[in-house]
Amino acid sequence: GDADILVCDDPLSAVDSKVGRILFNEAILGLGVNRGKCVILTTHQHQYIGEYRCVLMVDGRIECLGSYKECVAASGGKLTTRTQDSSVENLAL
């Protein structure tokens, strides 16, 4: 079947930056978000978060649900704000 919810457990961690951009744009956005799916992505690759909804979890509890900037503010210094890499949207193959 065609799942309504996609859970992606850190799929960008074991690939280089070019492959990571392709996975994010083609698979996560293209096959998930752009088709109206709920995508749960766990990642340390903050450059991909942009203005998507963000959930900050600490010790198994939801600490903040909101924008990435709101999660950064709620993190007590554990997260930092990064400018989203424009190549995420403008992938040159």
Side-chain angles (χ1 to χ4, degrees):
D2 193 21
D4 291 327
I5 300 172
L6 305 173
V7 178
C8 305
D9 186 8
D10 210 6
L12 308 173
S13 65
V15 296
D16 64 30
S17 62
K18 182 178 180 180
V19 173
R21 283 191 301 272
I22 292 169
L23 282 174
F24 185 78
N25 285 311
E26 305 281 329
I28 296 169
L29 292 181
L31 297 175
V33 175
N34 295 342
R35 291 179 55 217
K37 306 299 180 181
C38 171
V39 177
I40 300 170
L41 170 66
T42 61
T43 186
H44 290 93
Q45 304 294 324
H46 301 165
Q47 68 270 25
Y48 295 108
I49 297 172
E51 293 303 315
Y52 294 101
R53 188 177 336 173
C54 184
V55 178
L56 173 64
M57 297 194 67
V58 177
D59 297 326
R61 294 184 333 261
I62 295 175
E63 189 74 21
C64 180
L65 174 62
S67 69
Y68 181 66
K69 289 179 184 178
E70 290 169 330
C71 288
V72 168
S75 75
K78 293 179 183 176
L79 292 176
T80 59
T81 303
R82 287 187 178 175
T83 303
Q84 187 173 8
D85 183 350
S86 64
S87 61
V88 171
E89 289 96 17
N90 303 312
L91 178 63
L93 296 175

